[in-house]
Amino acid sequence: GNSVTQMEGPVTLSEEAFLTINCTYTATGYPSLFWYVQYPGEGLQLLLKATKADDKGSNKGFEATYRKETTSFHLEKGSVQVSDSAVYFCALPFITSGTYKYIFGTGTRLKVLA
Amino acid sequence: GAVVSQHPSWVICKSGTSVKIECRSLDFQATTMFWYRQFPKQSLMLMATSNEGSKATYEQGVEKDKFLINHASLTLSTLTVTSAHPEDSSFYICSAFPPAKRNTGELFFGEGSRLTVL
């Protein structure tokens, strides 16, 4: 079956520190992979995505590489800012009975201190 | 980009009353919308898939009589929590994808609606 395992938080970092949030998956076939971000009190926004193996998604200084050999899609940022404080979700879409469904990781709360 | 909007953002109601939450796609037509529930510090749980012009498809364990979903037009889906109880308090989020994004699987989310049942 399909599943997403995401690093548990919370993660607390100082400003300009390096960030890694781990995400591994199991899937049938080779689905696209997504990272969504949820700022306090808001819905989710797409942060980045990768549609095939070895693709690197990037946005706002964040990066994630779709690694088929390790079934991983870890999120990284070289220098975090206070404004990056949010909850990050790894997500895997799949189609069942002709309908799109998503599996979300449990979410990792990031807190960046000034 | 595609915009999905929910209303209301916050709602407080008394136990036993019903509450309606609206989800609109503002700049695209959505034949399918998804309703999620998010518990504090937890991930999103898919409640149901809302299909325009037909019945919603509910996930296992979700009470369809409790959570009524109506998708009467291509831009509007509503979730009605009937006879709400404190345990229904949660953050409800809807999502959809425009036809042009269907093959990418990218979802667009509403801002979420926080329901508090007293």
Side-chain angles (χ1 to χ4, degrees):
Chain A
N2 300 298
S3 68
V4 171
T5 303
Q6 188 175 337
M7 169 179 158
E8 282 196 30
V11 174
T12 302
L13 296 173
S14 298
E15 211 165 20
E16 299 183 3
F18 184 84
L19 168 72
T20 299
I21 300 178
N22 290 338
C23 172
T24 57
Y25 67 92
T26 58
T28 305
Y30 303 104
S32 297
L33 295 169
F34 296 83
W35 276 101
Y36 282 86
V37 57
Q38 184 181 31
Y39 297 103
E42 299 182 15
L44 278 70
Q45 304 173 25
L46 178 66
L47 180 60
L48 55 83
K49 65 182 181 185
T51 57
K52 61 183 187 296
D54 299 325
D55 260 6
K56 177 186 282 187
S58 61
N59 185 27
K60 299 181 181 180
F62 290 89
E63 292 183 342
T65 301
Y66 188 154
R67 300 205 183 279
K68 188 177 65 174
E69 63 278 8
T70 55
T71 61
S72 65
F73 192 53
H74 304 323
L75 182 68
E76 297 181 335
K77 186 172 185 180
S79 176
V80 294
Q81 306 300 312
V82 172
S83 56
D84 294 326
S85 297
V87 181
Y88 294 82
F89 292 92
C90 186
L92 183 158
F94 64 100
I95 295 177
T96 178
S97 302
T99 303
Y100 256 110
K101 298 224 173 169
Y102 269 66
I103 294 178
F104 287 89
T106 51
T108 303
R109 184 175 299 276
L110 170 66
K111 185 172 183 180
V112 181
L113 305 176
Chain B
V3 179
V4 177
S5 182
Q6 276 180 250
H7 177 79
S9 301
W10 295 81
V11 56
I12 300 173
C13 70
K14 292 182 178 179
S15 187
T17 61
S18 295
V19 173
K20 180 185 285 187
I21 300 170
E22 294 185 346
C23 177
R24 295 181 184 273
S25 55
L26 298 186
D27 52 0
F28 66 96
Q29 295 183 331
T31 55
T32 303
M33 291 184 173
F34 304 93
W35 286 97
Y36 292 86
R37 181 172 179 177
Q38 186 180 30
F39 294 96
K41 300 183 180 180
Q42 292 189 31
S43 188
L44 283 73
M45 180 192 78
L46 179 64
M47 299 175 65
T49 302
S50 172
N51 304 299
E52 188 270 334
S54 64
K55 292 181 180 180
T57 305
Y58 289 82
E59 295 301 301
Q60 193 172 7
V62 177
E63 300 175 60
K64 54 185 70 175
D65 294 332
K66 172 72 155 175
F67 299 100
L68 299 179
I69 290 173
N70 185 291
H71 195 151
S73 79
L74 286 170
T75 58
L76 173 64
S77 175
T78 60
L79 168 67
T80 301
V81 183
T82 62
S83 186
H85 291 285
E87 58 265 30
D88 299 324
S89 298
S90 195
F91 195 54
Y92 293 89
I93 306 176
C94 73
S95 68
F97 50 75
K101 293 283 188 179
R102 185 176 178 85
N103 290 336
T104 70
E106 180 183 342
L107 276 180
F108 291 83
F109 288 83
E111 310 92 327
S113 300
R114 183 163 302 284
L115 169 63
T116 301
V117 184
L118 302 177

